[in-house]
Amino acid sequence: MIKHLVKGALALALTAGLAHADEYPSESITLIVPYSPGGNGDITSRFIADKASDIMGVNFVVENRAGGGAFIGINSCANADPDGYTICFISTSPITVRPHVIEAPYDPMTDLTYLGQFMLSKQPVIVRDDGKFNSIDDVIAFAKENPGQLRWSAAVPRGGPHLATEAMFRAEDAVTTFLPSKGGAVELANLLSGTIDLAVISDYGPALDNGEIKILAETSPGRNPQAPDAPTLSELGYPLELASFFALAAPAGLSEEVIATWDDTMKQITDSEEFKTLMDRIKGQGAYLNSADFTARVRADFEAMGEATQTYGLAN
Amino acid sequence: METMDSILAGVALALTWQSILAVLAGIVAGQLLGAIPGLTATMTVALLIPYTYYLDPWVGIPMLVGMFKGSLFGSSVTAILVKTPGTPAAAATVLDGYPMAQQGKGEKACKMALYSSVFGDSFSDIVLIFGASFLAAIALKFGPAEYTLLVAFSLLTMGFVSGAKIWKGLFAMLLGMLLGIVGLDPVTASPRLTLGFLELEEGIGLIPMLIGFLAVAEVMRQMELPRKHLATSTVSFSDDPADRRVSWLEFKGVLPTLLKSSSLGTAVGALPGISATVAAFLAYNEAKRSSKNPEKYGKGELNGIAAPESANNAVSGANLIPLMAFGIPGDIAAALILSALLIQGITPGPVVFRDNPEPIYAIFTALLLANFFNLILGHGLIKMARRVVTVPKRILFPVVLVIAAASAYAMRGSIFDVQLVFLFGLLGWGLTKLAFPTVPLLIGFILMPILESNLRVSMLIAGSVPNPFAYFLGRPAFVTLLVVMFLLLVLVMRRILRDREAARAAGLRSGG
């Protein structure tokens, strides 16, 4: 019995050694999720880890390292060795938005390698379907005539959708009252009850189907498939439009070989039927971008956000 | 006739053997996982979701329902027996449950918790079935101003009825409120009292705080006792049958508390964004306030278990009220049920009741079925727990420390949270030594963030309307609340004065 165990251990050690000399990946990969378990970011990350493990043939360890609005988890990823064995889940806010308004422990432009994007979510500007507002023009006109009287909110204070909409109001010199919130469900209730007149949230589906709300515009690039007639903010000529993405990142200085392996893996995962079911379930849009294309998007959004922050004083 | 058909079709949907098995499995898993501190039902469900893609919705939804209901009861068992709430919602159950267990009445306390849980669940489910759209319409009348009034009032009465010296109660409450404002400012998003720790930007975690304050502090208190004491079993159970069951007479005695707390829990659940933990503390507070013998609370009062247990379970059913009426999920459990429904192309809301009500009736059936199984299986859990906690203290308490540390770590993989657990353990131990009451501190901590964000949002609203007085006084819910609270306050003050009068009279008599 012991003999067998020793033999097995030896064989394992040998193959492990061989594999190590071989190509990436040869040992287990840690995927850091900078949020608590249970959110969509966590659910999709665990799904990706599960599928990537099947494709790459190594184990994945998913670690939730939450806190500081995702700064803590992403920072520990940025400080890890760039060997491809520590990667992390990222979303819009801690990468392209918050570093402009709050001091971040890492520099999103130099400290991370961006791997593939896998999901986008729509972040529309919605109002009650009661005829008060029928277009963004109506909203702007009301806000200008009644300074400070238009009350509105977004699911994440100082997230991309909030600041893109704020930039719109500031570009129009419209004074509004932004009410800080805790999450989309509460804001939807506040919208229906008249506490606010306008909301920018992503979980609006049931209320839209029930005819309680109306979509006036979309704050991320590309029109909202559920409201193809509603223009995007940039179509309307407003300064800021930010993609609301889910993606993976790794420490800066990752080798080309590892990046290529991940490009290929993420493509396979996002093409699968199971991935599509997951997207349906969490109401996301599967949207694959490889490392190069996604890096370009992050840079563009980061710069646009930086510019808008300066021009419109969004940090205050 | 048509309605009857769709009701029957819905019931049939939920009464297949697969669905029934799923409810059973959900209850068992929920009760067991709920009993493990740090593993909340939400977390467990979230971890399991990737494995449930292929489940039929009429297996998935009943299982979810079972899990959430089971975990709310499971978490009270550890709260009662080892002073460690399995989930934050059971924290208020510790207050009278643990003293009862120390008196050998652990089994009675657990059974009371079980009956109260099932009562609260059934109450809110029935309200949901018959009055969802009506209640949801009222809930929408509650805006930030009304939330502010509600919370401010709870804190106000709390300060007066905490039992101990009033200044000690107020001090503990203020300390709790101070701890509650650590983190990012809700309006300006700038860090406050974080001492430079990124980990504190999202505030002090509820789980590290509760586990440290309750469980670790208790272990520290036990360490002070003579060594001989540690060889005794953690909880001894009295063999007197009266201490092992809840008699019909006792149940009748707590029935008013059950009804009141379940109503309160249902009302809280209908308001999106207020948790079961808050409801439990509010109900406890109210039961104590209105009791003829408030001094018995905290020493093993049955009503002190019935109130929080029925209220926290009532929240879980009532969270479906805004979901069914408008498609607004009140909490994560409701959000998970919503996503399962959306996959099936069913959008909850007024339209679905008219066009496609079968799935809704199926959910109702699953809810009631889950209550029934919770009741039956709960007895099994109590028997099991009884065996676990009869091990000697010197074995169980170190284990509690390990579990406390592990559960704090599990929430978000943070050693910082583990340190917090022990820091709060020290704080809780110190405060108990100095005879400060702990309930006001916990309530202050839990309610402060709700009070602050709603108050500040209300102020922003006041600044955005031409005439703030006209705006607030034009809200029927606001005015109603003001009147009710004023009357309650008068009642509380009268009682305090009368007690004081009585105390003075007694003092005179004994002095003379």
Side-chain angles (χ1 to χ4, degrees), chain B residues 100-337:
Chain B
M100 272 187 86
Q102 292 299 300
Q103 295 156 19
K105 298 180 195 161
E107 213 169 332
K108 183 192 210 117
C110 288
K111 281 181 184 159
M112 190 67 244
L114 178 60
Y115 301 148
S116 311
S117 292
V118 174
F119 188 93
D121 265 334
S122 310
F123 183 93
S124 75
D125 291 344
I126 289 168
V127 172
L128 166 73
I129 293 170
F130 292 105
S133 48
F134 172 69
L135 261 176
I138 294 180
L140 273 193
K141 301 262 181 244
F142 277 66
E146 288 77 19
Y147 279 61
T148 308
L149 266 188
L150 268 178
V151 174
F153 182 75
S154 312
L155 286 170
L156 198 65
T157 54
M158 186 66 228
F160 287 114
V161 296
S162 63
K165 286 204 173 84
I166 285 185
W167 77 267
K168 283 195 165 178
L170 285 177
F171 176 84
M173 194 171 80
L174 286 174
L175 184 61
M177 290 168 78
L178 190 69
L179 293 170
I181 63 167
V182 173
L184 292 183
D185 179 291
V187 175
T188 65
S190 48
R192 289 182 315 199
L193 300 176
T194 58
L195 311 173
F197 290 109
L198 260 184
E199 286 89 346
L200 285 178
E201 283 200 350
E202 286 165 6
I204 293 171
L206 184 57
I207 289 188
M209 153 91 183
L210 287 176
I211 292 183
F213 206 74
L214 297 168
V216 175
E218 175 65 13
V219 174
M220 288 181 180
R221 204 179 65 81
Q222 296 282 346
M223 287 195 300
E224 283 183 283
L225 299 173
R227 210 184 202 169
K228 201 173 65 190
H229 172 83
L230 289 177
T232 58
S233 67
T234 315
V235 183
S236 49
F237 290 90
S238 149
D239 283 330
D240 184 350
D243 289 341
R244 300 188 52 187
R245 61 190 179 87
V246 178
S247 71
W248 177 236
L249 210 66
E250 284 167 327
F251 187 79
K252 267 204 329 217
V254 299
L255 200 58
T257 305
L258 284 177
L259 281 170
K260 196 160 66 177
S261 309
S262 302
S263 314
L264 199 140
T266 307
V268 166
L271 303 170
I274 302 192
S275 67
T277 315
V278 173
F281 275 105
L282 287 182
Y284 182 85
N285 199 11
E286 171 55 24
K288 185 172 171 181
R289 187 201 64 75
S290 60
S291 162
K292 287 201 184 70
N293 322 302
E295 71 283 352
K296 283 193 182 163
Y297 281 73
K299 293 171 191 149
E301 165 66 42
L302 267 186
N303 283 294
I305 297 176
E309 276 305 305
S310 51
N312 70 20
N313 277 68
V315 169
S316 80
N319 267 321
L320 297 177
I321 290 174
L323 178 69
M324 294 303 175
F326 305 109
I328 300 171
D331 69 347
I332 298 179
L336 291 170
I337 291 178

Side-chain angles (χ1 to χ4, degrees), chain A residues 12 27-28 30 41 53 68-69 77-79 88 92 101-102 107 111 186 195 203 220 230 236 245 251 265 279:
Chain A
L12 209 73
E27 50 187 279
S28 55
T30 302
S53 172
C77 176
N79 287 323
C88 59
T92 318
V101 288
I102 294 178
D107 180 346
D111 296 347
V186 174
T195 301
D203 18 352
S220 70
L236 289 167
F245 57 76
T265 308
M279 290 296 110

Side-chain angles (χ1 to χ4, degrees), chain A residues 49-287:
Chain A
D50 191 35
K51 296 297 154 207
S53 172
D54 290 347
I55 295 170
M56 295 181 163
V58 292
N59 276 325
F60 271 72
V61 181
V62 179
E63 263 189 46
N64 294 93
R65 229 175 272 171
F71 279 173
I72 292 175
I74 296 177
N75 192 40
S76 64
C77 176
N79 287 323
D81 288 335
D83 54 8
Y85 293 103
T86 306
I87 60 170
C88 59
F89 165 80
I90 54 167
S91 62
T92 318
S93 163
I95 300 295
T96 57
V97 183
R98 285 179 73 239
H100 289 293
V101 288
I102 294 178
E103 194 190 335
Y106 50 85
D107 180 346
M109 287 299 97
T110 56
D111 296 347
L112 291 164
T113 303
Y114 294 101
L115 301 172
Q117 166 191 285
F118 57 89
M119 183 181 130
L120 285 173
S121 41
K122 284 291 156 198
Q123 305 279 352
V125 176
I126 61 172
V127 294
R128 276 184 307 282
D129 194 6
D130 58 5
K132 187 175 177 188
F133 300 122
N134 290 310
S135 67
I136 289 290
D137 284 347
D138 290 354
V139 174
I140 300 287
F142 174 84
K144 286 181 129 173
E145 272 165 40
N146 307 284
Q149 290 194 30
L150 180 83
R151 293 189 298 270
W152 64 288
S153 191
V156 184
R158 306 217 157 191
H162 168 199
L163 295 180
T165 312
E166 183 68 45
M168 168 183 92
F169 285 130
R170 296 206 182 180
E172 291 276 8
D173 281 322
V175 179
T176 59
T177 302
F178 178 81
L179 303 185
S181 83
K182 291 225 160 104
V186 174
E187 287 320 312
L188 183 57
N190 281 341
L191 179 67
L192 296 184
S193 69
T195 301
I196 55 175
D197 294 317
L198 179 148
V200 191
I201 55 175
S202 58
D203 18 352
Y204 52 87
L208 186 69
D209 292 350
N210 284 322
E212 293 159 330
I213 58 159
K214 194 159 51 183
I215 294 179
L216 295 188
E218 173 58 44
T219 64
S220 70
R223 290 192 175 197
N224 191 315
Q226 288 192 276
D229 294 335
T232 69
L233 290 189
S234 66
E235 285 174 28
L236 289 167
Y238 292 115
L240 192 58
E241 204 174 68
L242 294 170
S244 204
F245 57 76
F246 277 11
L248 296 181
L254 206 63
S255 74
E256 287 304 320
E257 178 211 344
V258 174
I259 295 176
T261 309
W262 271 102
D263 276 352
D264 179 49
T265 308
M266 293 300 284
K267 177 100 183 72
Q268 281 187 51
I269 294 174
T270 48
D271 280 344
S272 70
E273 276 308 310
E274 288 136 292
F275 180 76
K276 285 168 191 153
T277 317
L278 173 69
M279 290 296 110
D280 280 348
R281 190 162 269 215
I282 66 171
K283 291 170 276 146
Q285 292 183 300

